[in-house]
């Protein structure tokens, strides 16, 4: 008979719809095998303070697959390799610090606590940052299986991450709603969407929502091209336009719009490019232009059925992978199957929108302006 295991599960980085579905599938699959499951709270912070753990059973995950957020909490401040030196750990109720001071490597404490908690393996659900941490902890001897999460869809090695589909649906609905008010008032709207350094959400939601212009980080834009498109529409009686702008989009020779300096050990916060583009459009074309930032609305709420199924498949697959004795891999969608890719491959590069892909080509074929022509 296979040995009973004790596994941990955590959710790290920004939340994404579907996290609870992964937790549910993983816990049910593990309990089915007679294993113990320990929920590690707030990403890797729960491995720096062993009090931040909770035993999970079938009841703990009852009725949660449709819920947004995560029952385990998450954090994008708890990188044990880059931990704020001002914070004590191993007994703290730390929030990851204020980010102002120096950072220090607390990964040995994670290794120590892993053993102290009696864990055989960890299911780490997260984006690129969490997979990078998992990869480095595996190099220190821990057994970890990653599950790819992010609304940005920028994780390498998987065709899609869970959370992306839901974010696209939210953004598409917003574009649909703005369509009617833009048309009623003969206005231009810029709609800024998330996605960090990748344009997946902008491209997919823009295409689905019938945007006239889509600006993405992968294609630096020229305001002349954007305004020409709007004025061409005006000339043929289409007196409104919808411009979808990825938060990481930038003009040729320009830089990404950010909100201040990044905190130590954290990514810079992007935002503001939609408003900048709106101002320029109004100045150059004389068209009344409004801007809308969708922000965290794209991350909240219930996952779509597609994301729920994907997340459930990933959670169950992660347990099968542990049962098979594998580590340092991430489960990944390679339609029609879920397979594994090495964490080294998942973290090798960021998956951005391929410019020669059929989605970009289709957008161009339909006359959507991508800012460069
Ligand atoms: O990575 C997911 C994401 O929502 C990005 O699209 C966005 O840039 C970032 O997280 C926002 O992070 P925060 O929740 O820290 O504001």
């Amino acid at each position: 008979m296979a040995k009973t295991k004790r596994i941990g599960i955590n959710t790290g980085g920004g939340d994404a719809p579907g996290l609870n579905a992964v937790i549910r599938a993983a816990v049910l699959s593990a309990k089915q095998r007679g294993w113990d499951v320990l929920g590690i709270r707030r990403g890797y912070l729960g491995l720096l303070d062993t009090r931040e753990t909770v035993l999970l059973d079938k009841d703990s995950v009852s009725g949660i697959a449709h819920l947004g957020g995560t029952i385990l909490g998450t954090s994008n401040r708890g990188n044990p390799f880059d931990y704020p030196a001002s914070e004590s750990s191993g007994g703290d109720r730390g929030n990851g610090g204020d980010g102002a001071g120096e950072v220090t490597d607390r990964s040995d404490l994670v290794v120590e606590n892993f053993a102290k908690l009696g864990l055989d393996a960890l299911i780490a659900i997260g984006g690129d940052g969490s997979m990078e941490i998992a990869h480095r902890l595996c190099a220190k001897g821990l057994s970890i299986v990653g599950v790819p999460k992010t609304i940005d869809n920028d994780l390498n090695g998987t065709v899609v991450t869970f959370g992306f589909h839901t974010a696209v649906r939210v953004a598409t609905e917003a574009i649909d709603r703005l369509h009617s008010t833009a048309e009623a008032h003969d206005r231009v709207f810029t709609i800024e969407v998330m996605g960090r350094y990748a344009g997946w959400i902008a491209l997919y939601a823009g295409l689905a929502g019938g945007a006239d212009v889509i600006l993405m980080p992968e294609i630096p834009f020229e305001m002349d091209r954007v305004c020409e498109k709007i004025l061409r529409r005006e000339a043929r009686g289409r007196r409104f336009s919808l411009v979808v702008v990825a938060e990481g989009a930038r003009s040729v020779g320009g830089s990404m719009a950010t909100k201040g300096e990044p905190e130590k050990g954290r990514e810079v916060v992007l935002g503001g490019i939609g408003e900048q583009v709106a101002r320029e459009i109004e100045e150059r074309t004389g068209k009344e232009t409004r801007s809308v930032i969708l922000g965290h609305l794209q991350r909240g709420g219930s996952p779509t059925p597609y994301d729920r199924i994907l997340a459930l498949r990933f959670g169950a697959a992660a347990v099968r992978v542990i049962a098979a004795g594998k580590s340092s891999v991430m489960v990944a969608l390679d339609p029609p199957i879920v397979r594994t890719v090495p964490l080294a491959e998942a973290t090798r590069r960021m998956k951005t929108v391929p410019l020669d892909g059929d989605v970009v080509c289709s957008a161009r074929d339909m006359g959507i302006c991508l800012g460069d022509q």
Side-chain angles (χ1 to χ4, degrees), residues 13-15 76 128 149-152 154 193-197 201 247 266-271 295-296 298-299:
D15 67 333
N76 44 22
D128 53 353
K149 161 244 63 165
T150 167
I151 63 163
D152 303 338
D154 59 354
V193 298
M194 281 186 167
R196 224 187 272 277
Y197 310 119
I201 298 176
E247 62 180 357
R266 295 191 69 188
E267 285 282 341
V268 67
V269 179
L270 299 174
H296 294 78
Q298 295 157 98
R299 285 212 327 233

Side-chain angles (χ1 to χ4, degrees), residues 39 98 127 298 373:
D98 56 11
Q298 295 157 98
Q373 44 183 270

